[in-house]
Amino acid sequence: LDEEYERCITLYDIMVHKNRTVKSNIDDNIRFINEIEKQIQNLKESNTYLDAFMINTDSVIGTINGIRLGRANNSMTPWNEVDAALGQCTLLVGIVVNYTRAIYFDGRNEWPYEHLRRYRIRALGSKSCLEDRTNDEILPLHCGPKGPGFMSFIRETPYDKSTSILLQCVHEIREYLAGINPIVFERPFKYRVQGDKILTDDETGGYSIRYSYSGTNEKWTTALKYMLCICKELVIWLKYHSND
């Protein structure tokens, strides 16, 4: 009887140990599964476009990927930095335009808008530009370390022309995408584009994106920041569309 009792106790201990081992393995597996699920969820919530184009418009000068787009009297950003920021903005707009054209036009240049049809966006970093398809004219979206020159209401500089056209391209691509997915873009638009100006309901007169016409660094910088606000909407559209 004692031997049988000892044998049963031994078997019991073995079974308890096995059960504890199994339970420990199950707990480890559950923790592993939970960690994998968490990683998968993080991947779902992350987005290449949001990571590639980080736009901040909370300060006086808007930034894209930490690069300042604009100048203010208390913060005279070097023109090379402004060129680099505008290059990042040009890259973003070019990606949105090409992506949309590939999806909805099979790559063909059949935009229902004048500027998107006529101008090719060439993102070349701080040397970005626009190319006129009708005459091969190159319009610079950069001005170099000396800047675009003096502010004047008398004449339009190539820099004024190119930034104004870029703004029109931003406006046209937003119009098109808003027709596809109006949920991403609130209507009426908070930032409205009229010619070379961006207007809001809270302000009158608007802000010109033409440096020579703006009158002050602050007004021109505000126009650039508002354009970045629209570009942020384009990034959000890309996020939702690419996650579908």
Side-chain angles (χ1 to χ4, degrees), residues 8-232:
C8 290
I9 290 298
T10 301
L11 289 174
Y12 174 78
D13 289 340
I14 292 173
M15 293 302 296
V16 168
H17 177 71
K18 286 184 176 180
N19 286 336
R20 286 175 178 171
T21 302
V22 170
K23 184 177 183 302
S24 177
N25 290 337
I26 291 174
D27 291 340
D28 289 342
N29 288 336
I30 290 175
R31 283 192 293 270
F32 178 74
I33 291 171
N34 289 338
E35 183 62 27
I36 293 298
E37 289 178 344
K38 182 179 178 180
Q39 292 180 15
I40 291 173
Q41 185 61 32
N42 289 337
L43 287 173
K44 286 181 178 179
E45 292 175 356
S46 65
N47 184 269
T48 302
Y49 297 111
L50 291 178
D51 294 337
F53 299 104
M54 301 179 65
I55 296 174
N56 188 307
T57 55
D58 294 334
S59 301
V60 174
I61 301 176
T63 64
I64 178 167
N65 294 332
I67 310 172
R68 292 171 293 180
L69 181 59
R71 291 160 62 89
N73 289 336
N74 61 346
S75 180
M76 298 303 284
T77 310
W79 283 108
N80 287 339
E81 183 175 347
V82 176
D83 288 346
L86 195 56
Q88 290 288 301
C89 188
T90 305
L91 175 62
L92 167 58
V93 177
I95 288 174
V96 176
V97 168
N98 291 333
Y99 184 92
T100 306
R101 187 174 62 187
I103 296 297
Y104 297 102
F105 300 110
D106 293 327
R108 296 186 298 273
N109 186 36
E110 296 180 352
W111 293 102
Y113 302 102
E114 174 189 357
H115 293 86
L116 288 176
R117 277 198 315 270
R118 179 170 176 176
Y119 295 97
R120 180 180 291 109
I121 298 171
R122 299 179 62 183
L124 303 170
S126 58
K127 299 291 185 180
S128 296
C129 60
L130 301 170
E131 181 180 351
D132 191 334
R133 288 186 171 94
T134 63
N135 57 18
D136 297 327
E137 180 184 7
I138 301 298
L139 301 171
L141 286 166
H142 58 274
C143 55
K146 294 183 179 180
F150 296 103
M151 291 184 175
S152 171
F153 292 94
I154 299 176
R155 64 183 181 87
E156 178 185 61
T157 66
Y159 189 72
D160 293 330
K161 182 178 180 180
S162 59
T163 51
S164 179
I165 293 172
L166 179 65
L167 176 62
Q168 285 299 314
C169 290
V170 171
H171 165 64
E172 290 174 357
I173 189 63
R174 180 180 63 169
E175 283 286 337
Y176 185 80
L177 296 180
I180 297 172
N181 187 349
I183 297 177
V184 174
F185 303 92
E186 293 185 15
R187 286 186 180 272
F189 296 133
K190 181 177 181 180
Y191 302 100
R192 304 184 307 279
V193 177
Q194 291 185 5
D196 64 315
K197 292 183 177 181
I198 303 180
L199 301 88
T200 69
D201 291 334
D202 301 329
E203 298 156 328
T204 58
Y207 296 90
S208 176
I209 204 166
R210 301 181 191 224
Y211 179 78
S212 299
Y213 287 33
S214 58
T216 67
N217 278 312
E218 282 74 12
K219 290 182 178 179
W220 175 69
T221 297
T222 299
L224 291 172
K225 183 169 72 171
Y226 287 172
M227 183 174 71
L228 279 179
C229 290
I230 301 175
C231 287
K232 187 185 292 187

